[in-house]
Amino acid sequence: MRYDFGSDNTAGMAPAALAALVAANDGYARAYGADDVTARTADRIRARLDADAEIRFVFSGTAANAVALSMLAWPHEAVLAHHAAHICTDETGAPGFFGSGVGLIGLPGASGKIDPDTLKTALAAVEVGHRQPPAALSLTQSTEYGTVYTEEELRHLIEPTKLAGCGVHMDGARLANAAAAGFDLTRIARLGVDVLVFGGAKAGANCAEAIVMFDRTLARRIDNRLKQAGQTASKTRFLSAPLLGLLESGAWEQGAAHANRMARRLADGITARASFALAHPVQSNAVFVAMPPAAHQRLNDLGWACYRFDDGSVRFVCSWATEEQAVDDLLDAIGGL
Amino acid sequence: MRYDFGSDNTAGMAPAALAALVAANDGYARAYGADDVTARTADRIRARLDADAEIRFVFSGTAANAVALSMLAWPHEAVLAHHAAHICTDETGAPGFFGSGVGLIGLPGASGKIDPDTLKTALAAVEVGHRQPPAALSLTQSTEYGTVYTEEELRHLIEPTKLAGCGVHMDGARLANAAAAGFDLTRIARLGVDVLVFGGAKAGANCAEAIVMFDRTLARRIDNRLKQAGQTASKTRFLSAPLLGLLESGAWEQGAAHANRMARRLADGITARASFALAHPVQSNAVFVAMPPAAHQRLNDLGWACYRFDDGSVRFVCSWATEEQAVDDLLDAIGGL
Amino acid sequence: MRYDFGSDNTAGMAPAALAALVAANDGYARAYGADDVTARTADRIRARLDADAEIRFVFSGTAANAVALSMLAWPHEAVLAHHAAHICTDETGAPGFFGSGVGLIGLPGASGKIDPDTLKTALAAVEVGHRQPPAALSLTQSTEYGTVYTEEELRHLIEPTKLAGCGVHMDGARLANAAAAGFDLTRIARLGVDVLVFGGAKAGANCAEAIVMFDRTLARRIDNRLKQAGQTASKTRFLSAPLLGLLESGAWEQGAAHANRMARRLADGITARASFALAHPVQSNAVFVAMPPAAHQRLNDLGWACYRFDDGSVRFVCSWATEEQAVDDLLDAIGGL
Amino acid sequence: MRYDFGSDNTAGMAPAALAALVAANDGYARAYGADDVTARTADRIRARLDADAEIRFVFSGTAANAVALSMLAWPHEAVLAHHAAHICTDETGAPGFFGSGVGLIGLPGASGKIDPDTLKTALAAVEVGHRQPPAALSLTQSTEYGTVYTEEELRHLIEPTKLAGCGVHMDGARLANAAAAGFDLTRIARLGVDVLVFGGAKAGANCAEAIVMFDRTLARRIDNRLKQAGQTASKTRFLSAPLLGLLESGAWEQGAAHANRMARRLADGITARASFALAHPVQSNAVFVAMPPAAHQRLNDLGWACYRFDDGSVRFVCSWATEEQAVDDLLDAIGGL
């Protein structure tokens, strides 16, 4: 079975990440996040975002998102998110677990982007005691369907949210791909995002994501919160060092740019052969193809791991590691279905 | 500041762990624990324990313990544990968070070992609706004070617990040190432990612990449970490979044996100089010294990181990485206090 | 404002309930559910259901449902229910709060009844680690839209559920109305329901519902569970006595039969005047009317409290206390819109 | 078995409470707390406390306390309380359940009153990530051992707590007894209590307690919070009316004053006979007697329900309903042991 396109976490660490991890292994270091490598990585991220923020490193995107949302919403409140967002469909209800029952309100919108009118309607709904009113908006950049919000689009979602007194979370598991697609990361804090998950794993790190709290009041007793949530690394340098290697070398974005190019190449090849239609605009590193179940099954049988999504299309994801030859091999396979 | 003796997680990965991690980085691998390296690591652990078990790899000992306990006790029940156990004193209430309010009942006992009579009393207490009755016993091997339970001692704790219908959890964050001290790991399943946390980080891995479910009914929907708890690694090979390297090379136990020897050397040196008394028997890799606050402060001022525990003594911990020279340096420093 | 038809909990206690409460007030009684009145009430309910069961009395339907579901599903699992069920739309996420993140999967079906084919599809879905798989089915009898399941309909929902290894909960907040409509209560246990909420408040009691655990294994440490959940009454006789009065006098079902007749009268009147269509079959004590927002607003302005539901229709509910004259007054008001 | 002295919740409703409940039963009333009786009761309580506050009525003291504490402390924080407080010993871990793992830190102090020096030490403890730091102080007035804090004593506990940035909760299950003992209720808000549980059940109501939020910011979305917690009464008038009857008639305090007098009579009788010593000062409605297990058992065998507490003494509680003759009967029984 070939896992090249099954997900962007089937690849290992990018060379810069691995080298930094190996380098960080030498000698003793303070435990629980108080080491120098971790401090330097946080500085790098602040610089990259051009913003002040409290930063912590956790083990998984699921935990990062769920912990972040637990800062923004009480159990008797809800989080607004695209109904296809990872927190809604792929995290086994983690927001409700970490948030002790916090609700999720799924919003529609084309290709993974929340429709602003629907958001406004949800924010304007009359509050009643027997429902969970919204306390936060969760955005995904790039989205679950591989599209990338423009700054203007984000502004139209964030402004009414803040006016309604709600907080804003951004799931940036694929933030590197959004950046490589032209999204300016220094706008995130200025747009009013309160807490950002800055993605590592899908960008070529091991299993590490950074929780970036622009609103420092959210960070009160954050070390207690994370320890209780099982998200404090005793040897934090192994979480931060790979990210540091990626950021210092430029590989964080270069790898994402490569992944985006490979997705483009794949999408173009599919369009050229005209065998199947693209289900969503290809703006980052994922290609969604409208493919009948039988064809999908044949492709699996030919040894290509790939998955059907809730919208019925089949997803192919590229990463820093994707080779041109692999794209062409896949195109041949798809062409022959 | 020197962190050699501050904790056994101030050291990096042992060479065998790092080499295995680097080797595992090549190529694509299935995500979320379905890769070959992870399967081989689980096989190794089963072999080492000479027992059948369902095994999963998680990021932290805190999470491993809390998730394991959530399998054994409902929120309206409690877990019996030594009052100085890590779950009681060092995990920020994680068992209550993952267990939605599950209680902890602290039991006394010399040097971190639960007193069997007290346990029996707790198990025999008349149940009343307004208290949380015990549903599980949590044991730590080696204990928080560096002692090692004998098989016989464990039997006297586990037998009445099982008779009372309670489950048994073992926190094996330092299981390697217990093994190196002569504890036979193949007895764990036979003694009736239901779920074991098989320690990686303190034995020279990165941040990785294995949850070993001897009682496979506990493992029902374990992947959903772990995903919801933020403990599913997308790139699981980076959790399992270092452990595999340690186990295949023998370094898991050899490193622990080295740590135990260094602790012995340190303890003997302290005893020889007769400056301070040992607060607990030294049976594994930790040395607890009865040291007045002023002396402790002086030692910190001299650059040696070390911490005072709830019993008032100061702890020094050795690891696979501890050097003889460092022990001697520390002895000199202590001698000069 | 007239609240006659706003809900079936705007009425007070029925005379038989109040009389029993007053009678139960005399003298001392054991606290926390150990009194004689409570024991007799449980006996009455078992007799009425012709089934053995462990029974406890709690304060609210929301709590009764949420506690019952917490017995059937882990946090990483989900409960299947009609998307318009009270637990999905009117309990502020209580199942997720009491169940620490347990999920709800909403199923479609006409007029509040779950469509059996959709249920089978949900039960047959391939389990994946990143979603909450179903562990229980929640049924409402009579339903949120006032319809009543036949025994045959229930069988077609319960049988595949049990085959799939899931538990079954029945929300019987309006069970009296279902019974008065001809549903045989002695079938509930035989059909395989594991835990039933036997409704009191809407049947003319104060705020009291009984949790009926046919599967007694679910009742293990139930008193601890309820105490922790804030649902143990110190003076339980005040929860049970009104129900006892209703059951011993026959008023539990007679009041519901009266409510059903009043709903029939209202529905017939609306049909006769042909001003608005009925949105759902009228089978118990609620009448749903397809009424434009402006007409609904006019009716509110005329002093009639009534609410719009998620399907867009306006609900009118009758109770044991509804007077014929009130129905006719309302019909006049509706006729004049 | 005689339950006169087993608890203050073995008595029924006081006449004024029952009469008000019966009167409130007439006619329709808005559901979910929006009725007139409930509004009037809240006004009465505000007047009695001479303070502005948001007020809600819930079903049980356990829920009232746990919900109140969940407003003041996050899951990764802890609540300071006397180790013998009801929340620590008699509520099955409800604070941890409603607070999703919130911790309890038990403080010592004679006869149920927290020792101020110990409190200051706890508040001054250095915060570390691996423990739950205090976020709130819970006080009980009158205390679990029947003593009554003076205003001065409360000030010495509350002032350092507020200075440390923590919130203050008061469990007033027996507030009426404290008031009858001379404690000025109008000081509560002025002393800095943030949220008070104003007791009903033990003062002669049915099962009803009021949550009084002096800090109105704590009341944000309180109706959602209570609904989710299963603590919203559909027919709230049945919770508020008995309290209204007690407050309007003066019976709330007169009943408590009677209870206190009966406790005094009992205590004096015991002292006079000199058979057993009093374990705690008798300042409200409870008498704790230092009685050997055999004597306690004999008393139980003679038909007197009474319970041994954690301090080893046996408790006798008086209520609005306690008769002089019953006190004398009990004294005879004790005298003959």
Side-chain angles (χ1 to χ4, degrees):
Chain A
M1 206 72 176
R2 293 190 61 170
Y3 294 100
D4 316 40
F5 300 94
S7 177
D8 31 8
N9 50 36
T10 57
M13 276 183 270
L18 182 60
L21 186 151
V22 171
N25 193 54
D26 275 348
Y28 295 101
R30 291 185 69 182
Y32 302 117
D35 64 279
D36 296 338
V37 170
T38 298
R40 282 168 52 205
T41 314
D43 284 342
R44 269 277 163 185
I45 293 175
R46 278 186 285 263
R48 186 68 192 78
L49 299 170
D50 190 27
D52 185 40
E54 191 78 27
I55 294 181
R56 290 295 183 284
F57 299 89
V58 300
F59 298 109
S60 80
T62 295
N65 289 331
V67 168
L69 294 173
S70 77
M71 299 171 187
L72 299 175
W74 287 95
H76 52 282
E77 297 178 326
V79 173
L80 298 159
H82 194 283
H83 65 71
H86 207 262
I87 60 166
C88 292
T89 63
D90 287 273
E91 301 185 355
T92 324
F97 182 67
F98 283 83
S100 309
V102 75
L104 291 174
I105 299 174
L107 299 175
S111 295
K113 290 185 184 178
I114 295 172
D115 173 64
D117 289 335
T118 322
L119 172 65
K120 273 172 218 156
T121 302
L123 289 169
V126 175
E127 286 198 23
V128 288
H130 58 272
R131 303 240 169 136
Q132 288 167 289
L137 169 68
S138 176
L139 298 164
T140 310
Q141 179 77 317
S142 59
T143 75
E144 212 58 24
Y145 283 120
T147 50
V148 179
Y149 283 110
T150 65
E151 184 186 338
E152 203 55 22
E153 287 171 332
L154 288 175
R155 191 188 317 283
H156 283 114
L157 295 171
I158 292 174
E159 275 184 1
T161 301
K162 305 290 276 195
L163 273 174
C166 293
V168 178
H169 158 257
M170 181 175 278
D171 177 354
R174 294 190 180 96
L175 190 65
N177 299 290
F183 175 66
D184 179 357
L185 301 192
T186 69
R187 305 310 303 166
I188 296 174
R190 289 166 180 80
L191 280 163
V193 170
D194 296 295
V195 52
L196 164 72
V197 176
F198 187 96
K202 292 185 162 90
N206 47 358
C207 292
E209 314 281 306
I211 300 184
V212 181
M213 293 156 278
F214 300 115
D215 176 352
R216 279 182 181 265
T217 65
L218 297 177
R220 182 169 143 81
R221 292 179 168 169
I222 180 67
D223 293 320
N224 303 277
R225 189 191 285 272
L226 291 175
K227 181 72 181 172
Q228 186 183 47
Q231 291 294 325
T232 299
S234 57
K235 302 178 174 180
T236 315
R237 54 176 150 170
F238 297 135
L239 288 189
S240 54
L243 260 166
L244 184 63
L246 292 172
L247 289 165
E248 286 188 340
S249 66
W252 189 75
E253 252 166 291
Q254 290 158 15
H258 171 81
N260 291 4
R261 277 195 304 275
M262 291 300 100
R264 186 72 265 154
R265 181 185 186 93
L266 178 59
D268 290 345
I270 287 170
T271 304
R273 283 157 211 249
S275 32
F276 302 105
L278 298 179
H280 300 289
V282 175
Q283 298 174 348
S284 59
N285 67 321
V287 179
F288 288 82
V289 181
M291 187 180 282
H296 178 213
Q297 184 58 55
R298 279 262 294 291
L299 200 56
N300 285 162
D301 293 345
L302 289 169
W304 294 93
C306 54
Y307 304 97
R308 182 167 300 278
F309 268 56
D310 284 350
D311 72 338
S313 67
V314 175
R315 186 189 71 167
F316 303 90
V317 199
C318 301
S319 73
W320 68 269
T322 307
E323 295 173 2
E324 286 199 3
Q325 185 58 51
V327 173
D328 297 342
D329 290 351
L330 175 59
L331 282 170
D332 286 347
I334 290 176
L337 290 177
Chain B
M1 206 72 175
R2 292 191 62 170
Y3 294 101
D4 315 40
F5 300 94
S7 177
D8 32 7
N9 51 37
T10 56
M13 277 183 268
L18 181 62
L21 186 150
V22 171
N25 193 55
D26 275 347
Y28 294 102
R30 291 186 70 182
Y32 302 117
D35 64 280
D36 296 338
V37 169
T38 299
R40 283 167 53 204
T41 314
D43 284 343
R44 269 277 164 184
I45 292 175
R46 278 185 286 263
R48 186 65 193 79
L49 299 169
D50 190 27
D52 185 40
E54 192 78 28
I55 294 180
R56 290 296 183 281
F57 298 89
V58 300
F59 298 108
S60 80
T62 295
N65 288 332
V67 168
L69 293 173
S70 78
M71 300 172 185
L72 298 176
W74 287 95
H76 52 282
E77 296 179 326
V79 174
L80 298 159
H82 194 283
H83 64 72
H86 207 262
I87 60 167
C88 293
T89 62
D90 288 273
E91 303 185 353
T92 324
F97 181 67
F98 283 84
S100 311
V102 76
L104 291 175
I105 300 174
L107 299 174
S111 295
K113 291 185 183 177
I114 295 171
D115 172 64
D117 289 334
T118 322
L119 172 66
K120 273 171 217 155
T121 303
L123 290 168
V126 175
E127 287 198 20
V128 288
H130 58 273
R131 304 241 169 135
Q132 289 168 290
L137 169 68
S138 177
L139 297 164
T140 310
Q141 179 76 317
S142 59
T143 75
E144 211 60 24
Y145 283 120
T147 51
V148 180
Y149 283 110
T150 65
E151 183 186 338
E152 204 55 22
E153 287 172 332
L154 288 175
R155 191 190 317 283
H156 283 114
L157 295 171
I158 294 174
E159 274 184 2
T161 301
K162 305 290 277 196
L163 274 173
C166 293
V168 178
H169 159 258
M170 181 175 278
D171 176 354
R174 294 191 180 97
L175 192 63
N177 299 290
F183 176 65
D184 179 358
L185 302 191
T186 70
R187 306 310 302 165
I188 295 174
R190 288 167 181 80
L191 280 164
V193 171
D194 297 296
V195 53
L196 164 72
V197 175
F198 187 96
K202 292 185 162 90
N206 46 359
C207 292
E209 314 283 305
I211 300 183
V212 181
M213 293 156 278
F214 299 114
D215 176 352
R216 279 183 181 265
T217 64
L218 297 177
R220 182 169 144 79
R221 293 180 167 167
I222 180 67
D223 292 320
N224 303 277
R225 189 191 285 272
L226 291 176
K227 181 71 181 172
Q228 186 183 46
Q231 291 294 325
T232 299
S234 57
K235 302 178 173 181
T236 314
R237 53 175 151 169
F238 296 135
L239 288 190
S240 53
L243 261 167
L244 185 62
L246 293 172
L247 289 165
E248 285 188 340
S249 67
W252 189 75
E253 253 166 291
Q254 290 159 14
H258 171 80
N260 291 4
R261 275 194 306 273
M262 291 301 100
R264 187 72 265 154
R265 182 185 187 92
L266 177 61
D268 289 348
I270 288 170
T271 304
R273 283 154 211 249
S275 34
F276 302 104
L278 299 179
H280 301 288
V282 175
Q283 298 174 349
S284 59
N285 67 320
V287 179
F288 288 82
V289 180
M291 187 179 281
H296 177 211
Q297 184 58 55
R298 281 259 295 290
L299 201 55
N300 286 163
D301 293 345
L302 289 169
W304 294 93
C306 54
Y307 304 97
R308 183 167 299 276
F309 268 55
D310 284 349
D311 72 339
S313 66
V314 175
R315 186 189 71 167
F316 303 90
V317 200
C318 301
S319 73
W320 66 269
T322 307
E323 292 173 3
E324 286 198 4
Q325 185 58 52
V327 173
D328 296 344
D329 291 352
L330 174 60
L331 282 170
D332 286 346
I334 291 176
L337 290 177
Chain C
M1 206 71 177
R2 292 191 62 169
Y3 294 100
D4 316 39
F5 300 94
S7 177
D8 32 8
N9 50 36
T10 57
M13 277 183 268
L18 181 61
L21 186 150
V22 171
N25 194 53
D26 274 347
Y28 295 101
R30 291 185 69 183
Y32 302 118
D35 65 279
D36 297 337
V37 170
T38 298
R40 283 167 52 205
T41 314
D43 285 342
R44 269 277 164 182
I45 293 174
R46 279 185 285 263
R48 186 66 193 79
L49 299 169
D50 190 27
D52 186 39
E54 192 79 27
I55 295 180
R56 289 296 183 283
F57 298 89
V58 300
F59 298 110
S60 80
T62 295
N65 288 331
V67 168
L69 293 173
S70 78
M71 300 172 185
L72 299 175
W74 288 94
H76 53 283
E77 296 179 326
V79 174
L80 298 159
H82 193 283
H83 64 72
H86 207 263
I87 60 167
C88 293
T89 63
D90 288 273
E91 302 186 354
T92 324
F97 181 68
F98 283 83
S100 310
V102 75
L104 291 174
I105 300 174
L107 299 174
S111 295
K113 291 184 182 178
I114 296 171
D115 173 65
D117 289 335
T118 322
L119 172 65
K120 273 171 217 157
T121 303
L123 289 168
V126 176
E127 286 197 21
V128 289
H130 58 272
R131 304 241 170 137
Q132 288 168 290
L137 170 67
S138 176
L139 298 164
T140 309
Q141 178 76 321
S142 61
T143 75
E144 211 58 25
Y145 283 120
T147 51
V148 179
Y149 283 111
T150 65
E151 184 186 338
E152 203 56 22
E153 287 172 332
L154 288 175
R155 191 187 318 282
H156 284 114
L157 295 171
I158 294 174
E159 275 184 359
T161 301
K162 306 290 277 196
L163 274 174
C166 293
V168 178
H169 159 258
M170 180 175 278
D171 177 353
R174 294 191 181 96
L175 191 64
N177 300 289
F183 176 65
D184 179 357
L185 301 191
T186 70
R187 305 311 302 166
I188 295 173
R190 289 166 181 80
L191 280 164
V193 171
D194 296 295
V195 54
L196 165 72
V197 175
F198 187 96
K202 292 185 162 91
N206 47 358
C207 292
E209 315 282 305
I211 301 183
V212 181
M213 293 156 278
F214 299 114
D215 176 353
R216 279 182 182 265
T217 65
L218 297 177
R220 184 170 143 78
R221 293 178 167 169
I222 179 68
D223 292 319
N224 303 278
R225 189 191 286 271
L226 291 175
K227 181 72 181 171
Q228 187 182 46
Q231 291 293 324
T232 299
S234 57
K235 302 179 173 180
T236 315
R237 53 176 151 170
F238 296 136
L239 289 189
S240 52
L243 260 166
L244 184 62
L246 293 172
L247 289 165
E248 286 188 341
S249 68
W252 189 74
E253 252 166 291
Q254 290 158 14
H258 171 80
N260 291 4
R261 276 194 305 273
M262 291 301 99
R264 185 75 264 154
R265 182 185 187 92
L266 177 60
D268 289 347
I270 288 170
T271 306
R273 283 158 211 246
S275 34
F276 302 104
L278 299 179
H280 301 289
V282 176
Q283 297 174 351
S284 59
N285 66 322
V287 179
F288 288 82
V289 180
M291 187 180 280
H296 178 212
Q297 184 58 55
R298 280 261 295 290
L299 202 53
N300 285 163
D301 293 345
L302 288 169
W304 295 93
C306 55
Y307 305 97
R308 183 167 299 278
F309 268 56
D310 284 349
D311 72 339
S313 66
V314 175
R315 186 189 73 166
F316 303 90
V317 199
C318 301
S319 73
W320 67 269
T322 308
E323 293 172 3
E324 286 199 3
Q325 186 57 52
V327 173
D328 296 344
D329 290 351
L330 175 60
L331 281 170
D332 286 347
I334 292 176
L337 291 177
Chain D
M1 206 73 176
R2 291 190 62 169
Y3 294 102
D4 316 39
F5 300 94
S7 177
D8 32 7
N9 50 37
T10 57
M13 277 183 268
L18 181 61
L21 186 151
V22 171
N25 193 54
D26 274 348
Y28 294 102
R30 291 185 70 182
Y32 302 117
D35 64 278
D36 297 338
V37 170
T38 299
R40 281 168 52 204
T41 314
D43 284 342
R44 269 276 164 185
I45 293 175
R46 278 185 286 264
R48 187 67 191 78
L49 299 169
D50 188 28
D52 185 40
E54 191 79 26
I55 294 181
R56 290 295 183 283
F57 298 89
V58 300
F59 298 110
S60 80
T62 296
N65 289 332
V67 168
L69 294 174
S70 77
M71 300 171 185
L72 299 176
W74 287 94
H76 52 283
E77 297 178 326
V79 174
L80 298 159
H82 194 282
H83 64 72
H86 208 261
I87 61 167
C88 292
T89 62
D90 287 273
E91 301 186 354
T92 324
F97 181 67
F98 282 83
S100 310
V102 76
L104 291 175
I105 299 174
L107 299 175
S111 295
K113 291 184 183 178
I114 296 172
D115 173 65
D117 289 335
T118 322
L119 172 65
K120 273 171 216 156
T121 303
L123 289 168
V126 175
E127 287 198 22
V128 288
H130 58 273
R131 303 242 169 135
Q132 289 167 288
L137 169 68
S138 176
L139 297 164
T140 309
Q141 179 77 316
S142 59
T143 75
E144 210 59 22
Y145 283 119
T147 50
V148 179
Y149 283 111
T150 64
E151 184 186 337
E152 204 54 24
E153 286 171 333
L154 288 175
R155 191 188 319 281
H156 283 115
L157 295 171
I158 293 174
E159 275 184 2
T161 301
K162 305 291 277 195
L163 274 174
C166 293
V168 177
H169 158 257
M170 181 175 280
D171 177 355
R174 294 191 180 96
L175 190 64
N177 300 290
F183 176 65
D184 180 358
L185 301 191
T186 69
R187 306 311 303 164
I188 297 174
R190 288 165 181 81
L191 281 163
V193 170
D194 296 296
V195 54
L196 164 73
V197 175
F198 187 95
K202 292 185 162 91
N206 48 356
C207 293
E209 314 282 306
I211 301 183
V212 181
M213 293 156 277
F214 300 113
D215 176 353
R216 279 184 181 265
T217 65
L218 297 176
R220 182 168 143 80
R221 291 179 169 169
I222 179 67
D223 293 319
N224 303 276
R225 188 192 286 271
L226 291 175
K227 180 71 180 172
Q228 186 183 46
Q231 290 293 325
T232 299
S234 57
K235 301 178 173 180
T236 314
R237 54 175 150 169
F238 297 136
L239 288 189
S240 54
L243 261 166
L244 184 62
L246 292 172
L247 289 166
E248 286 188 338
S249 66
W252 188 75
E253 253 166 291
Q254 290 157 15
H258 171 81
N260 291 5
R261 276 193 305 274
M262 292 301 100
R264 186 72 264 155
R265 182 186 187 91
L266 178 59
D268 289 346
I270 289 170
T271 304
R273 284 157 210 247
S275 34
F276 302 105
L278 299 180
H280 301 289
V282 176
Q283 299 173 350
S284 59
N285 67 322
V287 179
F288 289 81
V289 180
M291 188 179 281
H296 178 213
Q297 184 59 54
R298 280 260 294 290
L299 200 56
N300 285 163
D301 293 345
L302 288 170
W304 294 93
C306 54
Y307 305 96
R308 184 167 298 278
F309 268 56
D310 284 351
D311 71 340
S313 67
V314 175
R315 185 190 72 168
F316 303 90
V317 199
C318 301
S319 73
W320 67 269
T322 307
E323 294 173 3
E324 286 198 3
Q325 186 58 52
V327 173
D328 296 344
D329 290 352
L330 175 59
L331 282 170
D332 286 347
I334 292 176
L337 290 178

